[in-house]
Amino acid sequence: MKFAIISHGSTNDSRNFSGIPWNITQELRRQGHTVEAFQAEPAEWARSWAHIKHLFSLKFTAQPHHVEADSGILHTRSMHVAKQIRKFAPDAVLCVGFPEAAVALPKSWPLYVWMDALYPSVRRLYPYFHTYYSESDARGLQRMEMKVMRRCRKIWLSSDWAAEEAKQDFPATAPQIGVQSFGANLTEAPNSAEVEKFILSRNIAEPTLLFLANEWERKGGDWAIETVKRLRTQGCYAKLAVVGITERAAAATSVPWLDWVGRLDKNRPDEAKRLGQYLSESAFLLLPTVADCTPIVCHEAAAYGLPVLATNVGGLPSTVDSGVTGMLWPVAKFAEEAPTWMAAVLTDRQRYEQMARAARRRYEQSGNWAVNVRAVATAIAQDLGRN
């Protein structure tokens, strides 16, 4: 089939939007489809007008007007995308980001959406969305999403949480809403034999616990340090490796058992190899996040047979099988309960290895792009009545 891919960022950068647009585009091509990715800039007048509205909003309502949420910018950007797509003449248009990218597309084009969560869910989950987006912005974005969703043939969200919330927020489109997982953003995942060697060779007597994130506060960096500190008081001399954050956090100063690695670029072979070593040698991935939809890092950990210990916020229960491929706790209970749970598991080699192997099986069954892209492409083909 011929797919036109649209997103709210570049599909040429594997770092944009956790690599989701890039991976979907590449995997569709690997599976034999013709794929073209489209993006465009808005009209200059729209950007200028949006800035004027922002200044007026600050002056008269004391609330910001987010330029990237402006209807003029979103509409003119989408119109330019539609003009480009028309020349390509696709069988289907797949939006792999916020649906506003499709708002100006002709209604006759078969449109599908695949993303992590719709705007109302994201706004409720992430506190800083209330700072960046005014109430007026929020209402406008929700209206725009509704306009797009009403003409979508199918909307896939990456977790049960996001799907259920979307059905509540947009009840008229509930029949079109389904769940389809994402995959790991890895250039090359290890094979099952390599992962088995990783699992058998891990040091769980004095384990390394991995905190792999690009934000310290939202991802729960302070909770990760507190968790390891409490684990060490129980006689398990673990250390914490922090990967992905450049500037050292205040709580991470003068901690002798902390390895502050900094940012590693997966596109650089030497840094990708080093990241792979942390994923293969660590005993657990710690993710005491306070707000997340479905973090891709959970699939990356699973690819290495690395169990995930996280909070049960957002779509994480659809990413980690609590008690099977890792464990989930409420945010307020994580630093209190995770250390005792870990101390018990780390003294039971058989139990730990069963969990690590279950994590790898989950990656093979539902945590990789090949499986998930094939499922979406097949569903679209069936919907269009094609083989």
Short mmCIF file of all heavy atoms in Angstrom, two decimals, residues 45-70:
data_model
loop_
_atom_site.label_atom_id
_atom_site.label_comp_id
_atom_site.label_asym_id
_atom_site.label_seq_id
_atom_site.Cartn_x
_atom_site.Cartn_y
_atom_site.Cartn_z
N TRP A 45 1.75 34.69 7.99
CA TRP A 45 0.77 35.57 8.63
C TRP A 45 0.17 34.90 9.86
O TRP A 45 -0.16 35.58 10.85
CB TRP A 45 -0.34 35.94 7.64
CG TRP A 45 -1.23 34.79 7.22
CD1 TRP A 45 -1.13 34.06 6.08
CD2 TRP A 45 -2.34 34.25 7.95
NE1 TRP A 45 -2.09 33.09 6.04
CE2 TRP A 45 -2.85 33.19 7.18
CE3 TRP A 45 -2.94 34.56 9.17
CZ2 TRP A 45 -3.95 32.42 7.60
CZ3 TRP A 45 -4.04 33.80 9.60
CH2 TRP A 45 -4.53 32.75 8.82
N ALA A 46 0.02 33.56 9.82
CA ALA A 46 -0.56 32.84 10.95
C ALA A 46 0.35 32.91 12.17
O ALA A 46 -0.11 33.10 13.30
CB ALA A 46 -0.83 31.39 10.56
N ARG A 47 1.66 32.77 11.93
CA ARG A 47 2.60 32.84 13.05
C ARG A 47 2.62 34.25 13.66
O ARG A 47 2.65 34.41 14.88
CB ARG A 47 3.99 32.40 12.59
CG ARG A 47 4.95 32.18 13.73
CD ARG A 47 6.25 31.53 13.25
NE ARG A 47 6.06 30.17 12.79
CZ ARG A 47 5.94 29.12 13.60
NH1 ARG A 47 5.95 29.30 14.91
NH2 ARG A 47 5.80 27.91 13.10
N SER A 48 2.59 35.26 12.82
CA SER A 48 2.59 36.64 13.32
C SER A 48 1.31 36.94 14.10
O SER A 48 1.35 37.55 15.17
CB SER A 48 2.72 37.62 12.14
OG SER A 48 3.92 37.41 11.44
N TRP A 49 0.18 36.50 13.57
CA TRP A 49 -1.10 36.73 14.23
C TRP A 49 -1.17 35.98 15.56
O TRP A 49 -1.71 36.49 16.54
CB TRP A 49 -2.24 36.34 13.31
CG TRP A 49 -3.62 36.54 13.86
CD1 TRP A 49 -4.60 35.61 13.98
CD2 TRP A 49 -4.18 37.76 14.35
NE1 TRP A 49 -5.73 36.17 14.52
CE2 TRP A 49 -5.50 37.50 14.76
CE3 TRP A 49 -3.68 39.07 14.48
CZ2 TRP A 49 -6.33 38.47 15.29
CZ3 TRP A 49 -4.52 40.04 15.02
CH2 TRP A 49 -5.82 39.74 15.42
N ALA A 50 -0.61 34.76 15.60
CA ALA A 50 -0.61 33.99 16.84
C ALA A 50 0.21 34.69 17.92
O ALA A 50 -0.17 34.69 19.10
CB ALA A 50 -0.05 32.59 16.59
N HIS A 51 1.31 35.31 17.53
CA HIS A 51 2.13 36.03 18.51
C HIS A 51 1.39 37.25 19.05
O HIS A 51 1.45 37.54 20.26
CB HIS A 51 3.44 36.47 17.85
CG HIS A 51 4.37 37.17 18.78
ND1 HIS A 51 4.95 36.56 19.87
CD2 HIS A 51 4.81 38.47 18.79
CE1 HIS A 51 5.70 37.43 20.52
NE2 HIS A 51 5.64 38.60 19.88
N ILE A 52 0.66 37.95 18.18
CA ILE A 52 -0.14 39.10 18.63
C ILE A 52 -1.22 38.63 19.62
O ILE A 52 -1.44 39.26 20.67
CB ILE A 52 -0.77 39.81 17.42
CG1 ILE A 52 0.31 40.48 16.57
CG2 ILE A 52 -1.81 40.83 17.88
CD1 ILE A 52 -0.19 41.04 15.26
N LYS A 53 -1.86 37.51 19.31
CA LYS A 53 -2.89 36.99 20.23
C LYS A 53 -2.29 36.60 21.57
O LYS A 53 -2.92 36.76 22.61
CB LYS A 53 -3.60 35.80 19.58
CG LYS A 53 -4.56 36.20 18.47
CD LYS A 53 -5.52 35.07 18.12
CE LYS A 53 -4.86 33.99 17.34
NZ LYS A 53 -5.83 32.96 16.88
N HIS A 54 -1.06 36.09 21.54
CA HIS A 54 -0.38 35.73 22.79
C HIS A 54 -0.17 36.97 23.65
O HIS A 54 -0.44 36.96 24.87
CB HIS A 54 0.96 35.07 22.46
CG HIS A 54 1.87 34.93 23.64
ND1 HIS A 54 1.59 34.09 24.70
CD2 HIS A 54 3.05 35.55 23.94
CE1 HIS A 54 2.57 34.17 25.60
NE2 HIS A 54 3.45 35.07 25.16
N LEU A 55 0.27 38.07 23.05
CA LEU A 55 0.52 39.30 23.80
C LEU A 55 -0.80 39.87 24.36
O LEU A 55 -0.84 40.32 25.52
CB LEU A 55 1.20 40.34 22.89
CG LEU A 55 2.60 39.96 22.39
CD1 LEU A 55 3.13 41.04 21.45
CD2 LEU A 55 3.56 39.74 23.55
N PHE A 56 -1.86 39.83 23.57
CA PHE A 56 -3.15 40.32 24.04
C PHE A 56 -3.67 39.45 25.19
O PHE A 56 -4.24 39.95 26.16
CB PHE A 56 -4.16 40.34 22.89
CG PHE A 56 -4.21 41.65 22.16
CD1 PHE A 56 -3.29 41.94 21.16
CD2 PHE A 56 -5.17 42.60 22.48
CE1 PHE A 56 -3.32 43.16 20.50
CE2 PHE A 56 -5.21 43.82 21.82
CZ PHE A 56 -4.28 44.10 20.82
N SER A 57 -3.50 38.13 25.06
CA SER A 57 -3.98 37.23 26.10
C SER A 57 -3.26 37.47 27.42
O SER A 57 -3.87 37.49 28.49
CB SER A 57 -3.80 35.77 25.65
OG SER A 57 -4.34 34.89 26.60
N LEU A 58 -1.94 37.68 27.34
CA LEU A 58 -1.19 37.96 28.56
C LEU A 58 -1.63 39.26 29.21
O LEU A 58 -1.76 39.35 30.44
CB LEU A 58 0.31 38.03 28.24
CG LEU A 58 1.05 36.71 28.01
CD1 LEU A 58 2.50 37.00 27.65
CD2 LEU A 58 1.00 35.84 29.27
N LYS A 59 -1.91 40.25 28.38
CA LYS A 59 -2.26 41.57 28.91
C LYS A 59 -3.65 41.58 29.52
O LYS A 59 -3.86 42.16 30.60
CB LYS A 59 -2.18 42.61 27.79
CG LYS A 59 -2.50 44.02 28.26
CD LYS A 59 -2.29 45.05 27.14
CE LYS A 59 -2.58 46.45 27.64
NZ LYS A 59 -2.34 47.47 26.57
N PHE A 60 -4.63 40.94 28.87
CA PHE A 60 -6.02 41.07 29.30
C PHE A 60 -6.54 39.89 30.11
O PHE A 60 -7.55 40.01 30.80
CB PHE A 60 -6.92 41.29 28.09
CG PHE A 60 -6.66 42.59 27.38
CD1 PHE A 60 -6.02 42.63 26.15
CD2 PHE A 60 -7.03 43.80 27.97
CE1 PHE A 60 -5.77 43.83 25.51
CE2 PHE A 60 -6.79 45.01 27.33
CZ PHE A 60 -6.16 45.03 26.08
N THR A 61 -5.87 38.73 30.04
CA THR A 61 -6.34 37.57 30.82
C THR A 61 -5.27 37.00 31.73
O THR A 61 -5.54 36.12 32.54
CB THR A 61 -6.83 36.44 29.90
OG1 THR A 61 -5.71 35.87 29.21
CG2 THR A 61 -7.84 36.96 28.88
N ALA A 62 -4.03 37.50 31.59
CA ALA A 62 -2.88 37.00 32.36
C ALA A 62 -2.60 35.52 32.06
O ALA A 62 -1.94 34.83 32.84
CB ALA A 62 -3.10 37.20 33.86
N GLN A 63 -3.12 35.04 30.94
CA GLN A 63 -2.85 33.66 30.51
C GLN A 63 -2.13 33.68 29.17
O GLN A 63 -2.38 34.55 28.34
CB GLN A 63 -4.15 32.87 30.37
CG GLN A 63 -4.82 32.51 31.68
CD GLN A 63 -5.97 31.53 31.46
OE1 GLN A 63 -6.66 31.58 30.46
NE2 GLN A 63 -6.18 30.64 32.42
N PRO A 64 -1.22 32.71 28.97
CA PRO A 64 -0.51 32.67 27.69
C PRO A 64 -1.41 32.13 26.58
O PRO A 64 -2.41 31.46 26.84
CB PRO A 64 0.64 31.70 27.96
CG PRO A 64 0.07 30.76 28.98
CD PRO A 64 -0.82 31.61 29.87
N HIS A 65 -1.08 32.45 25.38
CA HIS A 65 -1.69 31.79 24.22
C HIS A 65 -0.56 31.04 23.53
O HIS A 65 0.34 31.63 22.95
CB HIS A 65 -2.30 32.81 23.27
CG HIS A 65 -2.78 32.20 21.97
ND1 HIS A 65 -3.74 31.23 21.92
CD2 HIS A 65 -2.39 32.42 20.67
CE1 HIS A 65 -3.95 30.88 20.66
NE2 HIS A 65 -3.14 31.58 19.88
N HIS A 66 -0.59 29.71 23.64
CA HIS A 66 0.49 28.89 23.10
C HIS A 66 0.47 28.97 21.57
O HIS A 66 -0.51 28.59 20.93
CB HIS A 66 0.34 27.44 23.55
CG HIS A 66 1.61 26.65 23.46
ND1 HIS A 66 2.21 26.37 22.25
CD2 HIS A 66 2.38 26.10 24.41
CE1 HIS A 66 3.30 25.65 22.47
NE2 HIS A 66 3.43 25.46 23.77
N VAL A 67 1.56 29.45 21.00
CA VAL A 67 1.62 29.68 19.56
C VAL A 67 1.35 28.38 18.79
O VAL A 67 0.62 28.37 17.80
CB VAL A 67 2.99 30.28 19.17
CG1 VAL A 67 3.14 30.32 17.66
CG2 VAL A 67 3.13 31.68 19.77
N GLU A 68 1.90 27.27 19.26
CA GLU A 68 1.73 26.01 18.54
C GLU A 68 0.33 25.41 18.71
O GLU A 68 0.02 24.40 18.10
CB GLU A 68 2.78 25.00 18.99
CG GLU A 68 4.19 25.36 18.58
CD GLU A 68 4.32 25.54 17.06
OE1 GLU A 68 3.80 24.69 16.31
OE2 GLU A 68 4.94 26.53 16.63
N ALA A 69 -0.49 26.03 19.56
CA ALA A 69 -1.88 25.60 19.70
C ALA A 69 -2.83 26.53 18.96
O ALA A 69 -4.05 26.35 19.03
CB ALA A 69 -2.26 25.55 21.18
N ASP A 70 -2.30 27.50 18.26
CA ASP A 70 -3.14 28.48 17.58
C ASP A 70 -3.83 27.84 16.37
O ASP A 70 -3.20 27.14 15.57
CB ASP A 70 -2.27 29.65 17.11
CG ASP A 70 -3.09 30.73 16.45
OD1 ASP A 70 -3.77 31.47 17.17
OD2 ASP A 70 -3.05 30.80 15.20
#
